[in-house]
Amino acid sequence: MMSAPHEPVTGTMPATARSSGTLLRSTIIGLTAFLTVVDLFATQAILPSLASAYRVTPAAMGFAVNASTMGMAVAGLVIGFLSPHIERRLGILLSLVLLAVPTTLLAVAPDLTTFTILRVAQGLCMASAFALTLAYLGEQCSSMDAGGAFAAYITGNVASNLIGRLVSAAVVDSFGLASNFYFFALLNLAGAVLVYFTISHVRPMHAMPAMQSPLEATIAHWRNPSLRAAFAIGFCILFAFIGTFTFVNFVLVRAPLSLSRMDLGFVYFVFLPSVVTTLFAGKTVARFGTRPAIWGSLGLAGVGLPLMLSSHLPEVLAGMVLVGVGTFFAQASATGFVGQAATENRGVASGTYLACYFLGGLVGSAVLGQLFDRFGWTACVAGVAASLAIAMLLTSRLVLTSSAASRA
């Protein structure tokens, strides 16, 4: 299990020791998540620079950058199918080492097509590591620890949005576009080193019965109304998130806001509150339930959308804060629900959820990009609002079965 080396495990461990051990474990989990997905959204901070370099429209560049979600959707399904047969530590290690290859090649991508293909390859590697880590946490954490572990992992994801974008903007501003990708390739390798020293060698648990194929397990999950709703909610969450934080970059650099490239990087301190609030997702769900937690978080995100239509920077930033806090909190809550609702074959369930989640990002990039190019920012925000509303309606279907509830 992710822990400090030589961490003692005894039934009489003092409370202070348990507390420090939990904090260290959460830090390791969060840092692993950070280094796994830091490439995913960091590139969005330099979208205007990339669009200028490749001489393409915002929609075309937005789709190319977010093509990583296509690879992530495919990898989520494949890893879900193969999860019972993959040794977690080795799979995560290989994924992060291989991730450094397309990240490095992006520095010399000659055209938008090559850039897009390399982003898809990045997505394949990121999602493989992501899905295997989620499966590892679900298997190795007790039911009481699982909520905190998943929240720590999603919090690392949130931090990657903030720090990754900020670092990307700073590196490009100081050293140019190519240096940005070389730097992030080094971060990928740093993630592999962290995993090597902190994740122990364990065999996959909860393997499928011999008579049940991965396809049969997937179909069984889709027949569960609650899981089906959770998959769709994941789709809607990233649809909304991508639509907001991809195309707002172009709004921020245009009049009347007219931010510089470095200022655009600093804007993403709007994710800082999300780093804190997402940590409380597990406790909030435990106290109030999954449905109220998701309804509240999605409603908060919805409140932020009108603010983003303002011509005043403080109001736009406040709207971005609310959307970030709401969508990440909902993502952490929905991820935890999938782990509870899937009483068997959790690897398949997690992989299916991630596939739907990242597919939502790809579709959001394509659909909302067209709305942005043809009808403007207001139409794009309206599309985001529709996605959040659908997710809120689907949340009413998140009900644990008696067996899942008793296990949780």
Side-chain angles (χ1 to χ4, degrees):
M1 187 170 179
M2 285 186 179
S3 61
H6 312 298
E7 179 184 348
V9 182
T10 68
T12 58
M13 186 185 298
T16 53
R18 289 198 303 270
S19 177
S20 61
T22 300
L23 177 61
L24 179 57
R25 186 197 65 175
S26 296
T27 301
I28 292 172
I29 291 172
L31 187 57
T32 301
F34 172 87
L35 294 171
T36 298
V37 296
V38 68
D39 300 272
L40 182 58
F41 295 118
T43 313
Q44 289 186 345
I46 57 172
L47 264 172
S49 298
L50 287 169
S52 176
Y54 285 99
R55 299 180 180 179
V56 294
T57 65
M61 198 69 241
F63 182 83
V65 164
N66 292 314
S68 54
T69 58
M70 181 190 304
M72 297 189 88
V74 172
L77 282 176
V78 172
I79 295 299
F81 278 13
L82 301 179
S83 177
H85 312 292
I86 299 176
E87 199 280 308
R88 307 305 190 215
R89 181 174 181 269
L90 179 60
I92 299 169
L93 271 174
L94 287 177
S95 298
L96 291 175
V97 170
L98 291 175
L99 174 58
V101 176
T103 305
T104 301
L105 293 176
L106 280 168
V108 293
D111 51 53
L112 193 63
T113 300
T114 305
F115 186 97
T116 303
I117 293 171
L118 290 172
R119 284 292 284 174
V120 172
Q122 276 189 309
L124 289 168
C125 298
M126 281 187 282
S128 298
F130 196 97
L132 288 172
T133 305
L134 287 181
Y136 177 91
L137 294 176
E139 293 165 357
Q140 302 302 315
C141 294
S142 68
S143 59
M144 292 183 65
D145 292 338
F150 283 119
Y153 196 73
I154 301 301
T155 300
N157 185 354
V158 179
S160 73
N161 276 266
L162 164 61
I163 300 173
R165 293 171 197 252
L166 183 61
V167 168
S168 184
V171 171
V172 170
D173 197 52
S174 301
F175 305 105
L177 282 171
S179 298
N180 171 74
F181 298 110
Y182 294 136
F183 179 80
F184 279 90
L186 291 176
L187 290 183
N188 301 151
L189 296 176
V193 172
L194 178 66
V195 168
Y196 180 84
F197 286 107
T198 59
I199 290 186
S200 57
H201 178 91
V202 292
R203 297 184 62 183
M205 297 170 63
H206 308 299
M208 295 178 196
M211 297 301 292
Q212 189 176 36
S213 69
L215 180 59
E216 290 172 332
T218 302
I219 292 173
H221 288 320
W222 277 103
R223 286 176 176 168
N224 183 325
S226 293
L227 281 175
R228 194 163 59 237
F231 298 156
I233 290 169
F235 179 97
C236 292
I237 288 173
L238 198 60
F239 184 103
F241 182 89
I242 287 286
T244 301
F245 291 102
T246 295
F247 300 106
V248 72
N249 293 284
F250 295 99
V251 175
L252 291 170
V253 298
R254 294 174 181 173
L257 300 176
S258 304
L259 298 185
S260 68
R261 186 163 51 198
M262 194 62 225
D263 288 337
L264 187 61
F266 283 117
V267 158
Y268 286 97
F269 275 109
V270 296
F271 287 122
L272 192 57
S274 301
V275 175
V276 178
T277 57
T278 306
L279 281 171
F280 296 97
K283 293 183 179 179
T284 302
V285 169
R287 181 171 181 179
F288 300 104
T290 299
R291 289 185 295 175
I294 295 180
W295 277 327
S297 56
L298 293 177
L300 186 67
V303 170
L305 293 179
L307 296 175
M308 298 183 66
L309 297 175
S310 172
S311 58
H312 302 288
L313 184 61
E315 294 177 12
V316 175
L317 295 180
M320 294 173 71
V321 168
L322 294 176
V323 174
V325 168
T327 52
F328 278 117
F329 203 94
Q331 157 69 343
S333 302
T335 301
F337 178 84
V338 171
Q340 290 182 331
T343 55
E344 297 178 348
N345 305 316
R346 293 181 198 166
V348 174
S350 294
T352 304
Y353 175 81
L354 289 176
C356 293
Y357 177 72
F358 291 117
L359 181 61
L362 181 66
V363 175
S365 176
V367 172
L368 297 176
Q370 291 302 312
L371 287 177
F372 181 81
D373 272 1
R374 297 184 182 188
F375 305 107
W377 177 230
T378 301
C380 183
V381 171
V384 171
S387 180
L388 294 177
I390 293 171
M392 293 184 75
L393 290 174
L394 290 167
T395 301
S396 62
R397 302 182 183 181
L398 300 183
V399 180
L400 291 176
T401 62
S402 56
S403 60
S406 61
R407 182 177 60 82

